[in-house]
Amino acid sequence: MPNTFLVGPITFQGPCKSPLIHIQILGTIIAPQNPSSWNGCETGAWLLFYKVNGLFIDGGGTINGRGDAWWTKSSTYITEESKCTIPPTALHFESCNGLRLTKLKHRNSPRNHIGLNRCSYSTLSYLDIAAPADSPNTDGIDISLSTQVRVHHSIIRTGDDCIALSNGSSQINITGIYCGPGHGISIGSLGMNGQYNTVEGVKVRKCQFSGTTNGARIKTWQGGSGYARDITFEKIFLHNVNNPIIIDQHYCPHNYNCPKESSAVKVNDISYKRFVGTSSSRTAINFDCSNNVACSGILLDHINITSSVKGEDPTVYCNNAYGTTSFSSPTASCLLN
C-alpha cells in the first residue's frame, strides 16, 4: 500500500551532472496543513525545481497541497501567522528545459497547482488536477516565458483557469483537455500595470469544457501594450459554458481601481474552428475589444453553439472587432470585415 509523506517547502536546484533526472512519486505527498506551520516559503512555491534540465517526473502518485486552510483565512492572517505573503504554488518549475511531467494526481493547491516559467521543450500529460469550484486562484497549469510546450490528455477541475498562458508564452500546443469546473483556457491576463506582454503561436485542439465560466478566453488590461496573436481554438466541445468564446480587453476583476484606456495589447489572427455545444448565457460569443486598438483577423468557422436555456437564442456581441465568419451559429453579423 502506498505511503503518505509530510513534506515542507523544498527546493531542488541544478544544474545537475546527469542529463536525465527521473523522479517517481508512488505514494502521496502532503503539505503542512496549517499556514502558521509553513516555513521557507519565500520562493512562493511548495515544491520548487530550479535549473534542473532533462527532468522526468511520473509514478502515478498524488501531490496534495491541502490548501483549504489558505482559502478560508484572510491575507492578514497568512502574513502574520505563516510569514508567507501569498499562498504558494504547489509545484513550480523555473528554468527547467526538457521537462516531462506525466501520470500524477494534483489536489487542492493553496494557489496554482503547476507553474512553468522559463521552461522550453517541455511536455505535461495524463495529469489529474482537482480543487473545489469555489477555491480561489487555484489555476491548474500556469505557463509564462516558455516556448515549445505541449499539454495533452489531462483532466483539470479547479476554482480558476484550467490552463493560463501568460506573458512570454509561445509555440504552445494544448490537446485533449477536459476542463470543468473552472474558468476555461485563458490567454492572459496581459498588460497589467501598463506592461508590454506577448503571447503567440498557440494551438488548442480537441478540448472539452463543462460547466465552466469561460471556454476559449483572451483577457487583457487597459493601458498595456504588446500582442496576443496567431492563436487557434479548434474542435471544441461545450456543455453549459457561460462564455464559450470571449475576448475581454477591459479585464478588471471586481471592477475595482480599473485603469483608464490609453493603449492596449494588440489582439490579431485569432481563429475559432468547429465549436459545438451549449452556452448558459445569452451572449455566446463576446468580442469586447479595445476602443483604441481593434481586434483584427478574427475567424469564426463552423461554429454551432445553442442555448442551454430552453427557448432562448444565443447572440454575438462585438466592439471594434474585425474578421470573417462562415457557417457560424449564432450569426456574427457584428463582426466587421
Side-chain angles (χ1 to χ4, degrees):
M1 183 176 179
N3 292 321
T4 299
F5 301 90
L6 174 63
V7 178
I10 187 170
T11 298
F12 300 91
Q13 183 169 339
C16 303
K17 293 182 179 180
S18 173
L20 175 63
I21 307 296
H22 187 186
I23 296 176
Q24 286 190 304
I25 300 174
L26 303 176
T28 298
I29 299 174
I30 60 174
Q33 187 169 20
N34 194 320
S36 63
S37 65
W38 279 67
N39 292 305
C41 58
E42 295 84 0
T43 62
W46 170 32
L47 307 173
L48 172 64
F49 289 85
Y50 177 62
K51 290 188 175 180
V52 182
N53 293 330
L55 178 62
F56 179 27
I57 304 179
D58 67 348
T62 300
I63 298 174
N64 190 337
R66 299 207 287 183
D68 53 334
W70 295 87
W71 309 329
T72 56
K73 300 298 182 182
S74 69
S75 59
T76 301
Y77 173 90
I78 292 172
T79 301
E80 293 177 353
E81 299 295 329
S82 70
K83 297 180 175 59
C84 296
T85 56
I86 57 174
T89 295
L91 179 62
H92 187 76
F93 301 94
E94 180 81 24
S95 302
C96 295
N97 298 323
L99 167 70
R100 287 181 294 165
L101 180 71
T102 186
K103 297 179 180 178
L104 291 175
K105 296 181 179 66
H106 303 259
R107 296 289 183 265
N108 300 328
S109 174
R111 192 163 52 106
N112 306 332
H113 285 77
I114 300 170
L116 271 68
N117 189 55
R118 303 184 190 278
C119 297
S120 301
Y121 300 96
S122 301
T123 300
L124 285 67
S125 62
Y126 301 101
L127 303 175
D128 183 344
I129 304 172
D134 60 352
S135 57
N137 303 313
T138 53
D139 292 3
I141 300 170
D142 270 27
I143 300 173
S144 59
L145 297 173
S146 300
T147 187
Q148 299 292 342
V149 177
R150 294 181 63 228
V151 184
H152 64 90
H153 296 97
S154 297
I155 299 172
I156 306 176
R157 299 163 291 176
T158 69
D160 210 304
D161 294 329
C162 289
I163 300 174
L165 304 181
S166 301
N167 177 43
S169 300
S170 67
Q171 309 309 315
I172 311 295
N173 193 314
I174 299 170
T175 308
I177 303 300
Y178 177 92
C179 172
H183 294 180
I185 293 178
S186 296
I187 312 296
S189 56
L190 305 176
M192 184 177 182
N193 296 325
Q195 294 177 343
Y196 177 89
N197 289 164
T198 67
V199 171
E200 64 181 329
V202 177
K203 293 183 178 180
V204 180
R205 301 180 67 249
K206 297 181 179 179
C207 294
Q208 179 175 345
F209 300 92
S210 181
T212 52
T213 305
N214 309 285
R217 175 166 68 157
I218 297 173
K219 52 180 179 175
T220 73
W221 290 80
Q222 298 180 56
S225 62
Y227 55 80
R229 66 191 183 193
D230 186 19
I231 298 166
T232 299
F233 297 92
E234 184 176 10
K235 294 184 179 179
I236 304 298
F237 179 79
L238 309 156
H239 174 68
N240 203 36
V241 175
N242 194 54
N243 297 299
I245 295 174
I246 180 169
I247 297 176
D248 181 7
Q249 290 210 272
H250 299 90
Y251 180 71
C252 183
H254 314 300
N255 293 317
Y256 174 74
N257 198 25
C258 298
K260 293 183 178 179
E261 184 169 13
S262 56
S263 61
V265 175
K266 172 67 175 175
V267 176
N268 64 290
D269 296 335
I270 315 296
S271 297
Y272 305 91
K273 303 177 181 179
R274 300 189 181 278
F275 278 59
V276 63
T278 57
S279 171
S280 61
S281 69
R282 186 72 184 271
T283 306
I285 301 174
N286 187 350
F287 296 132
D288 187 13
C289 300
S290 164
N291 294 323
N292 292 335
V293 183
C295 300
S296 62
I298 295 174
L299 171 65
L300 292 172
D301 181 33
H302 284 85
I303 307 298
N304 184 10
I305 302 175
T306 59
S307 177
S308 57
V309 180
K310 187 176 180 180
E312 187 171 275
D313 294 324
T315 62
V316 180
Y317 172 78
C318 304
N319 178 58
N320 207 19
Y322 292 77
T324 58
T325 177
S326 59
F327 304 103
S328 178
S329 178
T331 303
S333 56
C334 63
L335 192 62
L336 304 173
N337 291 321

